[in-house]
């Protein structure tokens, strides 16, 4: 899992711990994770993670609303305004542009043939070819628009020095266990109260329980394998 380029770095002095469950289930103290002052508002903390497991690489968006004080919210807004503007469109890659341009070429050909047929008196064939040409050109416009659009995960703005005060990692999944995340919080008082409010979400790992789960999984896999062998033998006997 990787974070987007440009995200703020979490200091080594940050308070780190792990909690299970989704981000929506978190309970927050009425404090600012930056300075510890009383929170008067909230900001959305968004992060994009790249899932490299399996054959297909996919981006995942994680988002949570965190309380902040008014001065830190104002600082966040100033930093956000100074960030470079993320474009929604850019010139497409040559290969993508060439592929979608096939629709444009087909549209021009259909319209050219329609004009030739219309000159020879074939009104209905010319009308059909004209519709086909217009449809191909419409597909070409839509294709160029799609190829030129910047992917959504590149349009997510990087964290500021304010929102990075409450940092979190991607979900980690273990067999027969709930999903968990690692959290890094800058302010000590916020971290202490946050940990207390979410104490029941601390992961409870039991080595003996994990061994029993592994044994049960092995038994199930052996049972499935035995069933496949027996089924194959019966098929072979018929």
């Amino acid at each position: 899992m990787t974070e987007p380029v440009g995200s703020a770095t979490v200091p080594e002095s940050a308070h780190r711990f792990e909690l299970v469950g989704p981000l929506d289930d978190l309970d927050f103290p009425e404090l600012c994770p930056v300075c510890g002052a009383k929170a008067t508002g909230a900001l959305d903390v968004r992060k994009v993670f790249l899932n490299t497991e399996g054959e297909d690489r996919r981006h995942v968006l994680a988002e949570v609303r965190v309380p902040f004080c008014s001065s830190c919210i104002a600082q966040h807004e100033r930093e956000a305004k100074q960030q470079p503007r993320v474009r929604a469109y850019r010139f497409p890659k040559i290969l993508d542009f060439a592929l979608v341009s096939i629709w444009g070429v087909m549209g021009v050909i259909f319209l050219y043939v329609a004009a030739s047929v219309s000159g020879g008196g074939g009104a209905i064939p010319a009308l059909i070819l004209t519709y086909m040409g217009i449809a191909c050109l419409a597909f070409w416009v839509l294709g160029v628009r799609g190829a030129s659009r910047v992917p959504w995960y590149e349009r997510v703005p990087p964290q500021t020095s304010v929102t990075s005060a409450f940092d979190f990692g991607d979900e980690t999944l273990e067999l027969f266990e709930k999903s968990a995340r690692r959290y890094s919080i800058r302010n000590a008082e916020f971290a202490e109260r946050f940990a207390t409010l979410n104490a029941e979400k601390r992961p409870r790992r039991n080595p003996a329980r994990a061994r029993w789960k592994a044994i049960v999984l092995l038994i199930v896999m052996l049972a499935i394998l035995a069933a496949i062998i027996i089924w194959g033998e019966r098929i072979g006997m018929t």
Side-chain angles (χ1 to χ4, degrees), residues 15-29 64 166-174 177-185 190-205:
H15 304 271
R16 308 169 191 270
F17 43 86
E18 186 178 14
L19 298 175
V20 299
L23 291 169
D24 294 338
D25 291 346
L26 295 175
D27 296 317
F28 292 94
V64 63
F166 184 88
D167 192 68
F168 54 87
D170 196 10
E171 286 184 316
T172 57
L173 297 174
E174 296 183 7
E177 297 288 349
K178 294 182 179 179
S179 62
R181 291 181 188 270
R182 294 186 180 275
Y183 296 86
S184 301
I185 300 175
F190 182 98
E192 181 180 356
R193 295 195 186 182
F194 179 77
T196 302
L197 290 173
N198 298 277
E200 73 281 359
K201 300 181 181 67
R202 293 271 190 172
R204 297 177 175 85
R205 294 186 173 86

Side-chain angles (χ1 to χ4, degrees), residues 5 12 38 69 73-74 78 88 96 126 128 165 171 180 197 201 214:
V5 177
E12 292 296 331
K38 181 176 176 58
C69 67
I73 292 177
R78 286 192 294 269
D96 294 339
I128 295 174
E171 286 184 316
L197 290 173
K201 300 181 181 67

Side-chain angles (χ1 to χ4, degrees), residues 155-176:
R155 300 198 301 271
V156 177
Q159 289 181 287
T160 64
S161 64
V162 176
T163 55
S164 63
F166 184 88
D167 192 68
F168 54 87
D170 196 10
E171 286 184 316
T172 57
L173 297 174
E174 296 183 7
L175 190 64
F176 303 121

Side-chain angles (χ1 to χ4, degrees), residues 43 72-82:
L43 294 172
C72 289
I73 292 177
Q75 175 63 25
H76 164 77
E77 293 175 349
R78 286 192 294 269
E79 294 183 16
K81 290 180 180 179
Q82 295 175 357

